[in-house]
Amino acid sequence: MSTVDTSLPAAGGPALPQERTAATVPGPRSAELARRRAAALPAGLTSASQMYAHAAGGGVIVDVDGRSHIDFGSGIAVTTVGNAAPRVVERMTEQMARFTHTCFLATPYEGYLEVAERLNALAPGDHDKRTALFSTGAEAVENAVKYARIATGRSAVVVFDHAFHGRSQLTMTMTAKNQPYKEGFGPFSPEVHRTPMAYPYRWPSGPANAADEAFARFALLVDSQIGASNTAAVVVEPIQGEGGFIVPAPGFLRRVADFCTERGIVFVADEVQSGIARTGTWFACEHEGIVPDLITTAKGLAGGMPLAAVTGRADIMDAAHPGGIGGTYAGNPVACAAALGVFETVEAEGLLARATAIGDVLTTELATFDDPAGIIGEIRGRGAMIAVELVAGAGDSTPNPAAVAEIVRYAHARGLFVLTAGTYGNVLRFLPPLSISDALLHDGIGVLRDAFAALAR
Ligand code: PLZ
């Protein structure tokens, strides 16, 4: 506890001054930590930002040099209700004072049940549901596949182009992008098959054909190549996150889900990034009227604590034998307390509507940006999950990762933290915490507007 600068705020959360201080990053203290890092951490572990965090909350991250940055990343879609959100902190504090861990496999506790009950009630569909808790998104996805395999007695798993499902051996295999996720880390897991995503903006024969043609390719893969009788699960992100906030062509997900139902294939919606209020609904699949067999959640579920879930049909979830599923930390009590604080915050603060409103502001304002060269290929997403795909110019959709890198550099240097995404690294993605003020949201968008203007000069 020796190195915390006592001149900086002692606590985070919404009480932090909600301001942006534009100053060069990294400041001296962050630069000093970067030097220590180089000697202590492996080279391949990277960070998107050069600042080191001191406190965060509302819509800002305050760095160790006392500079305040607008947060358009939420720790990659995690602090949806805000960083150090009061109800989350309060419930965690109460839980931590009583016990921090017993292991649910050893001595169970009520908080786990409450989180499961809430997710069962919130997830789409009026069928009987069960929830099992884990610690990370990858772990939830991996366990969803285990449930699907044991319930169907089949082994094949179907995933899509541009997918991200995690970094464990199985979920890395399910992830589409080679660099940086897979290169050199093979061999990969067997029985993972990939098919095109109905990605309207880049569909070869045009967006209007994306749903039909992508579905035909998918159906061909399952029925003619793998065999439905060998297919345990289809796993899909209702909005692809790391892939660049790709919203599948309307109707595509429904057709895939219906196809799965007809063939007894478990349809898994990976809502690790899109779930828990992010898109203006509890789950992004609600926008398409889909009722998945299983849903994976993590990230936004527990306000920054490592908690993940598989929620779904009781008959599938009950198929695993006693002791077949678990983990030492899975459903940790402090993380469960945090999740209950998240549910409470979303409801008390009307955050579903807030996510929709933030998305409306972002899409409306982005559409007014001056873009003489036509590098804005597409603005897309839902709720507070909005992205801009940058291309070479009007009439040339060649990915433009250089422009993305330039805008990120510009924004970071002026106190706006933004993240990138996309198979080609050419997508800017915006994931503000829903606790951000309108003033900061507009200020952040203003920085982006200036960044695009600077690029055009
Ligand atoms: N499924 C849809 O978005 C995690 C990855 C960050 P974990 N996305 C952020 C990185 O580069 O590792 C993610 C996701 C979807 C699964 C995961 C995996 O979640 O909690 O990171 O394991």
Side-chain angles (χ1 to χ4, degrees):
M1 297 289 281
S2 58
T3 56
V4 174
D5 182 345
T6 51
S7 69
L8 295 176
L16 280 175
Q18 297 297 300
E19 61 186 10
R20 171 173 66 93
T21 45
T24 332
V25 173
R29 182 88 181 100
S30 282
E32 182 191 320
L33 294 175
R35 283 191 291 277
R36 272 171 57 193
R37 172 188 187 133
L41 272 50
L45 256 179
T46 61
S47 301
S49 176
Q50 291 187 285
M51 63 161 151
Y52 278 71
H54 170 77
V60 301
I61 302 170
V62 176
D63 72 19
V64 288
D65 292 290
R67 289 145 187 198
S68 185
H69 308 255
I70 299 176
D71 182 10
F72 271 14
S74 297
I76 319 191
V78 170
T79 53
T80 306
V81 299
N83 223 311
R87 290 179 182 84
V88 173
V89 172
E90 198 183 311
R91 281 184 176 261
M92 283 172 58
T93 308
E94 187 278 331
Q95 174 61 51
M96 282 191 289
R98 285 191 292 119
F99 64 96
T100 49
H101 176 84
T102 55
C103 186
F104 196 77
L105 301 177
T107 309
Y109 37 87
E110 187 177 358
Y112 189 119
L113 309 185
E114 285 182 75
V115 173
E117 287 162 356
R118 291 303 308 263
L119 285 170
N120 292 343
L122 290 170
D126 49 17
H127 52 277
D128 203 11
K129 289 171 225 147
R130 299 286 185 272
T131 287
L133 298 178
F134 302 96
S135 304
T136 68
E139 207 188 350
V141 172
E142 185 126 7
N143 278 283
V145 171
K146 285 166 74 171
Y147 280 119
R149 283 177 169 163
I150 194 118
T152 59
R154 310 171 182 177
S155 55
V157 176
V158 175
V159 293
F160 291 84
D161 286 347
H162 309 290
F164 186 96
H165 296 295
R167 293 180 185 256
S168 67
Q169 204 67 17
L170 172 61
T171 60
M172 169 179 67
T173 307
M174 294 166 67
T175 290
K177 194 174 171 178
N178 180 53
Q179 266 294 3
Y181 307 122
K182 305 167 84 160
E183 176 68 37
F185 295 141
F188 301 102
S189 294
E191 293 297 341
V192 175
H193 305 263
R194 193 175 307 283
T195 184
M197 167 50 67
Y199 180 178
Y201 180 69
R202 291 197 177 275
W203 195 258
S205 61
N209 298 322
D212 283 351
E213 293 180 10
F215 178 74
R217 291 282 298 275
F218 163 79
L220 178 80
L221 173 68
V222 175
D223 278 343
S224 307
Q225 296 170 1
I226 308 169
S229 60
N230 301 309
T231 306
V234 171
V235 183
V236 62
E237 298 156 83
I239 298 178
Q240 291 186 307
E242 302 304 304
F245 292 9
I246 299 166
V247 184
F252 176 68
L253 290 179
R254 166 164 290 277
R255 288 175 71 180
V256 169
D258 289 348
F259 175 99
C260 289
T261 305
E262 285 158 18
R263 288 159 179 77
I265 299 167
V266 178
F267 179 85
V268 183
D270 180 356
E271 296 244 18
V272 164
Q273 189 151 169
S274 60
I276 316 295
R278 181 46 61 187
T279 68
T281 48
W282 281 103
F283 303 94
C285 61
E286 293 173 50
H287 295 286
E288 287 280 321
I290 307 288
V291 180
D293 296 313
L294 301 179
I295 301 182
T296 56
T297 50
K299 292 189 182 282
L301 178 59
M305 296 303 288
L307 188 71
V310 180
T311 300
R313 294 190 180 277
D315 55 333
I316 298 170
M317 302 287 295
D318 285 339
H321 45 273
I325 300 285
T328 307
Y329 300 109
N332 169 273
V334 182
C336 286
L340 296 173
V342 166
F343 295 131
E344 200 186 354
T345 307
V346 170
E347 277 158 4
E349 298 183 3
L351 294 185
L352 296 180
R354 181 67 187 147
T356 305
I358 287 172
D360 289 346
V361 170
L362 276 166
T363 45
T364 309
E365 291 293 318
L366 288 164
T368 67
F369 279 19
D370 202 21
D371 177 28
I375 64 166
I376 297 186
E378 190 178 44
I379 300 164
R380 59 174 178 250
R382 279 187 168 124
M385 186 172 184
I386 300 295
V388 185
E389 172 155 4
L390 298 189
V391 297
D396 180 356
S397 64
T398 307
N400 193 345
V404 164
E406 193 46 46
I407 285 167
V408 166
R409 225 184 341 267
Y410 183 101
H412 286 193
R414 283 160 188 79
L416 171 67
F417 180 69
V418 285
L419 290 163
T420 63
T423 298
Y424 318 106
N426 67 322
V427 177
L428 285 164
R429 58 169 153 171
F430 310 121
L431 292 160
L434 305 181
S435 53
I436 195 169
S437 67
D438 281 336
L440 277 187
L441 179 62
H442 284 281
D443 188 22
I445 293 169
V447 173
L448 290 170
R449 188 187 296 277
D450 295 346
F452 275 85
L455 204 63
R457 279 198 291 274

